[in-house]
Amino acid sequence: MRRFLFIANSSAGTSDRERTDAALGVLREHGDVDVVTTDTIQELTEAIARSDGREIVVAGGDGSLNAFVTALCRAGHLGEDPPTVGLLPMGTGNDFARTVELPTDPAEAARVVIDSPARPIDVLIDDEDRIVANAVHIGVGEEAGRIAAPWKERFGPIGYVIGGFAAGFGQTGRRLRVVADGQVVADGRHHILQVAVTIGQSVGGGTRIAPDAEPGDGRAELVISRTISPRRRLLYAATVNRGRHTRLDDVVSMRVQTVTVTGVNHAFGANSDGEELEPRRERTWRVVPAAYRLHAPVSTA
């Protein structure tokens, strides 16, 4: 009999609890389930430390996945004897779940945990030991996240659309120097609309910022947009949701292991898995290969 540790957010609402119960019913048909609710990274770290070899199932969105991987790091499991994880998409955007094609219904996602193999998944870690489970982005995407935050609370995924349009037409770009795997990709002499470093393919509830990302191949996707003029920004906005922006001649997309971004004469903020980071002059991210193993449909392998 399989053994599961089911981790849920203790602040989940009534509708989430109903969906959680349905998913638990599926898991209990196939194994013994220990249920834990957590509020903080510390509680999550302690739960993982007490998992006793159980398969971990996390109920939540990109933020919950980030918290889980951060707890793995604190517990000393990141990339070393990585645990097997199931993800039940219950967030607002569920962007990483989209990348690995998980069902949006938690009960259906629980069946994926039962029936599908686990595959290795990479993460990013920055120079402050901050984990990125899905994506970090600078520029128009970061500004869109800030604008979307209050709207997201009221309107859910529609808030991302509002933020994206407002930022896309108001952002004029920033002078950033970008070095990837020792290669200078942007030298800081020209303005850049957006830089994204991703494990998953989408941000903001489905915007396919990195359509070529492969979460388990040991590399991240780096996307840089030099789209600055109003006409080019409009073209970028019209193509990015469908992942066609990487075909534009002022967009660079490449597979990398380490990225350093430096602001030229200014600090810059960043959006990391939906969390706003304090502005800094420079940040570096590197890939941690096979940090954990995730149950995902076979078609995504």
Side-chain angles (χ1 to χ4, degrees):
M1 178 177 287
R2 292 169 70 174
R3 301 164 63 241
F4 301 101
L5 174 64
F6 187 96
I7 301 177
N9 191 321
S10 60
S11 63
T14 301
S15 61
D16 282 345
R17 286 196 294 270
E18 292 174 355
R19 296 194 298 157
T20 295
D21 288 343
L24 282 171
V26 172
L27 295 176
R28 284 170 174 153
E29 290 176 3
H30 299 274
D32 175 66
V33 183
D34 184 13
V35 180
V36 175
T37 58
T38 63
D39 271 327
T40 66
I41 295 288
Q42 182 59 36
E43 291 176 352
L44 192 52
T45 303
E46 292 171 356
I48 292 172
R50 298 193 303 267
S51 62
D52 191 28
R54 289 176 178 266
E55 295 179 60
I56 299 172
V57 180
V58 177
D62 296 323
S64 296
L65 182 61
N66 177 285
F68 166 74
V69 180
T70 298
L72 278 186
C73 182
R74 293 187 180 183
H77 295 308
L78 195 65
E80 297 180 7
D81 190 24
T84 298
V85 184
L87 176 63
L88 310 186
M90 296 181 66
T92 302
N94 297 315
D95 282 296
F96 190 79
R98 294 169 190 267
T99 295
V100 294
E101 299 179 9
L102 283 173
T104 56
D105 178 76
E108 291 297 323
R111 292 186 179 92
V112 170
V113 174
I114 299 301
D115 297 331
S116 298
R119 54 185 292 221
I121 300 293
D122 311 322
V123 301
L124 293 165
I125 190 168
D126 71 9
D127 42 12
E128 293 182 318
D129 293 332
R130 187 188 303 270
I131 298 296
V132 181
N134 182 56
V136 59
H137 44 102
I138 301 158
V140 67
E142 178 265 335
E143 184 172 336
R146 273 191 287 110
I147 296 172
W151 295 100
K152 187 175 68 171
E153 293 178 4
R154 296 175 59 187
F155 300 114
I158 295 176
Y160 292 120
V161 178
I162 296 172
F165 272 103
F169 289 102
Q171 176 68 253
T172 58
R174 305 175 186 184
R175 291 179 62 196
L176 300 169
R177 187 174 191 269
V178 184
V179 178
D181 294 342
Q183 173 188 352
V184 177
V185 185
D187 60 13
R189 291 182 297 174
H190 307 286
H191 284 77
I192 289 175
L193 184 70
Q194 182 169 40
V195 176
V197 189
T198 80
I199 297 297
Q201 296 177 356
S202 72
V203 297
T207 297
R208 297 191 66 219
I209 187 65
D212 297 324
E214 295 286 346
D217 71 350
R219 294 179 295 170
E221 187 76 7
L222 169 64
V223 180
I224 302 174
S225 170
R226 298 186 177 91
T227 308
I228 295 303
S229 72
R231 184 180 69 83
R232 298 298 294 182
R233 288 206 310 268
L234 183 61
L235 180 60
Y236 183 81
T239 56
V240 68
N241 282 342
R242 293 170 292 172
R244 297 180 180 175
H245 59 296
T246 55
R247 304 175 188 177
L248 302 176
D249 57 12
D250 49 8
V251 175
V252 173
S253 179
M254 58 192 298
R255 308 291 288 145
V256 300
Q257 292 179 311
T258 303
V259 176
T260 297
V261 180
T262 306
V264 178
N265 299 323
H266 66 86
F268 59 89
N271 183 299
S272 178
D273 286 347
E275 179 184 356
E276 295 297 325
L277 305 185
E278 289 295 323
R280 282 182 53 184
R281 284 289 301 276
E282 183 172 288
R283 290 187 183 274
T284 296
W285 292 271
R286 64 177 176 84
V287 175
V288 179
Y292 63 99
R293 297 179 60 82
L294 179 73
H295 288 289
V298 174
S299 62
T300 67

